[in-house]
Amino acid sequence: MKISKIRRLTLITAASVMVAAGSLSGCSSDKVEEKASEATSAAESAVDEAKESTKESTKESSTTASAAAESDDDSDDEAKFENVVSAEEIVEDLKGGGYVVFIRHGHTAKDYADQADPNMKLDDCSTQRQLDDLGKKQAKEIGEAFKKLEIPVGEVVSSEYCRAYNTADLAFGRYEKTAKLNFQPAEEYTAEQIETMKNNITPFLATMPAEGMNNVVVGHDDVFDAATGIYPEPQGTAYIVKPEGGDSFEVLTRIPADEWSSLTN
């Protein structure tokens, strides 16, 4: 069993007092009392010093633990999706068609699970999270980049949430809403709800677009995550998907909203 530094010093100093007292057994009581007092003071001083040392060690350990925790968080960040094909290469490939572009809706002023709000109504944008100025700017810039890069666009589908179809409208000027891209009405999902979202979005990611075209899907983080295991962040981020038919597809490239304009240069 390990003995702490304070406990060890206490034992040592206590023994020192006993030794000192034994060595003075032939001395006067005043002399014994004086030496014992000196030994006790020395012991108390040693214990206090050990306490301070222990505090510093605890602080250092805590700092190390915090650093380790931050390092773990950084590791989690680094473990996110890495491009299979570079953004520069994929925009050239998009010109020939054959891909699906998933776009998480543009930035909103607040980020919360409005799908779980009992007062939220799909036909009333005022009850939902809405695009802010940045989100609108992101959508417009994505659309402008598609035009400059001459990327052909086929079907444009969106969830029934205002922030999603507004993103589609600002970027491409058209869209078709579908409930299949909606959230399940919860903040903490059951396994069944996750499976439902996965099954709902998968056909949009796996189906080949018309010849020479790319389909666009504008939706939400949790729904995309349910099908791919990739959490799309930040808002406005796009993922280029290669559909393979059936229920199969491959996510190739991530393009944040603020990178589209640079790809046009």
Side-chain angles (χ1 to χ4, degrees), residues 26-241:
C27 301
S28 68
S29 59
D30 289 342
K31 192 68 173 177
V32 170
E33 186 175 334
E34 180 184 343
K35 290 296 183 181
S37 177
E38 290 176 0
T40 300
S41 295
E44 290 174 348
S45 177
V47 170
D48 288 341
E49 183 180 340
K51 285 181 179 179
E52 287 301 317
S53 176
T54 301
K55 284 181 182 178
E56 289 302 317
S57 291
T58 301
K59 186 185 295 183
E60 290 175 6
S61 297
S62 178
T63 301
T64 302
S66 297
E70 290 176 5
S71 176
D72 288 342
D73 290 342
D74 291 341
S75 296
D76 290 341
D77 289 340
E78 292 171 0
K80 292 175 184 175
F81 177 81
E82 293 185 4
N83 287 347
V84 178
V85 180
S86 72
E88 291 76 14
E89 289 179 277
I90 204 69
V91 295
E92 291 301 316
D93 293 340
L94 285 170
K95 294 176 182 179
Y99 295 88
V100 174
V101 182
F102 171 85
I103 303 173
R104 184 183 176 189
H105 61 79
H107 192 270
T108 60
K110 294 181 180 180
D111 189 357
Y112 66 97
D114 58 355
Q115 74 272 12
D117 184 345
N119 297 315
M120 192 279 292
K121 298 177 182 179
L122 287 172
D123 60 356
D124 185 353
C125 292
S126 68
T127 66
Q128 306 174 33
R129 289 165 50 196
Q130 299 185 57
L131 297 182
D132 58 13
D133 290 342
L134 173 58
K136 294 173 183 177
K137 179 175 179 287
Q138 289 173 331
K140 291 176 182 177
E141 288 181 348
I142 290 172
E144 289 169 2
F146 269 66
K147 289 178 182 177
K148 289 181 180 179
L149 292 166
E150 299 182 339
I151 296 173
V153 177
E155 297 179 4
V156 180
V157 294
S158 163
S159 81
E160 297 179 314
Y161 285 78
C162 298
R163 58 187 178 275
Y165 66 74
N166 286 341
T167 297
D169 188 38
L170 289 169
F172 306 104
R174 59 189 173 89
Y175 59 88
E176 179 181 346
K177 291 188 288 185
T178 173
K180 293 291 188 180
L181 296 176
N182 290 353
F183 292 105
Q184 289 292 291
E187 184 170 6
E188 297 295 332
Y189 304 106
T190 64
E192 183 179 357
Q193 288 174 319
I194 293 173
E195 188 67 16
T196 296
M197 291 190 290
K198 173 185 176 182
N199 292 337
N200 283 346
I201 191 176
T202 293
F204 295 98
L205 303 177
T207 301
M208 288 292 296
E211 184 70 25
M213 293 292 173
N214 302 286
N215 289 342
V216 176
V217 177
V218 184
H220 305 276
D221 50 3
D222 295 338
V223 184
F224 185 74
D225 189 7
T228 64
I230 300 167
Y231 187 80
E233 60 180 353
Q235 297 169 79
T237 296
Y239 287 82
I240 314 305
V241 179

